[in-house]
Each structure stands twice: as structure tokens, then as C-alpha cells.
Amino acid sequence: EVQLVESGGGLVQTGGSLRLSCAASGSTLDNYAIGWFRQAPGKEREGVACIGTSDGKIYYADSVKGRFTIFSDNTNNTVYLQMNSLKPEDTAEYYCAADALFRVGSSWRLPGLYDFWGQGTQVTVSS
């Protein structure tokens, strides 16, 4: 079973940057889809980005394309989300999630496909 721990959230001004980390333990991330999701108060959980650790496929929500970058470091079993040009509407609790790549595939936006979740890290962007 995979355990996920997010870190790197915080308070930043509009236009600033943050790098979120999702550290995995309990299993290597071979053949996994790792997704980043976010949830703002009163809103549904939203898929932000996803990476396939073995096929290298990457997906982004339209709202973050060109500003966010997802990448993995297989040597330390960690997936990152580099967030640049942050906007107040990016304010949310950010979660990483993992499941077998064959289960998630191109349906990466669906939270219900992921069995393993981290505890979340808060990102607040001030205007």
C-alpha cells in the first residue's frame, strides 16, 4: 500500500511561485498515475495535473496550463508540482493521489479512480 505525504504549501502573493512535493512510501511508484487535485471551500475537488510514472504521459487542467509543471523524481519516489504565476483563484487545499496507471489512464480527473491520497497542503494566494 502506498502512503503519500504532501508538503510545500504556504502563503504567497499573486504572481509568486510554490513547489509542492508528494513523497511516497510503502511502494515504489512504478506503473502509477500520480495526480494533483485541489479543493477550495464550497467547491468540488478538481484535477490539476497528472503524470504516468512509467509511460511519462502528462495532463494538465486548462486553468493551469503554462503555469504549473508536474514532474517526478524516481530516485526519491517523489512527484512535484511547480506552480508559477499564481493567482488568487489557485487558493485551495492541494492533494496528491495515486493509483495503478492501468486504472486511471486518460480519466485522470476523476478522484474516485484513486485509492491512495495524501493529507493535503494548503496554498493561499493573496491579491
Side-chain angles (χ1 to χ4, degrees), residues 5-10 20 35-48 68 81 83 88-96 117-125:
V5 178
E6 303 95 335
S7 61
L20 305 184
W36 280 100
F37 290 78
R38 65 187 181 187
Q39 189 165 19
K43 294 190 177 181
E44 293 187 353
R45 192 163 294 192
E46 171 192 20
V48 174
F68 290 12
L81 185 68
M83 306 187 297
E89 51 263 44
D90 295 318
T91 295
E93 188 82 7
Y94 282 71
Y95 302 87
C96 65
W117 289 83
Q119 82 290 348
T121 185
Q122 177 67 36
V123 171
T124 303
V125 184

Side-chain angles (χ1 to χ4, degrees), residues 11-15 87-88 91 124-127:
L11 174 64
V12 65
Q13 291 185 333
T14 296
K87 305 175 181 180
T91 295
T124 303
V125 184
S126 64
S127 56

Side-chain angles (χ1 to χ4, degrees), residues 11-87:
L11 174 64
V12 65
Q13 291 185 333
T14 296
S17 297
L18 285 173
R19 178 177 291 185
L20 305 184
S21 301
C22 174
S25 61
S27 174
T28 63
L29 293 180
D30 294 340
N31 298 310
Y32 271 83
I34 310 297
W36 280 100
F37 290 78
R38 65 187 181 187
Q39 189 165 19
K43 294 190 177 181
E44 293 187 353
R45 192 163 294 192
E46 171 192 20
V48 174
C50 180
I51 185 169
T53 58
S54 57
D55 64 8
K57 289 185 178 179
I58 290 176
Y59 305 91
Y60 294 103
D62 288 344
S63 58
V64 305
K65 277 181 184 176
R67 300 189 298 121
F68 290 12
T69 303
I70 187 171
F71 60 99
S72 63
D73 183 347
N74 293 336
T75 61
N76 63 10
N77 232 25
T78 300
V79 173
Y80 301 92
L81 185 68
Q82 177 67 41
M83 306 187 297
N84 299 329
S85 302
L86 283 162
K87 305 175 181 180

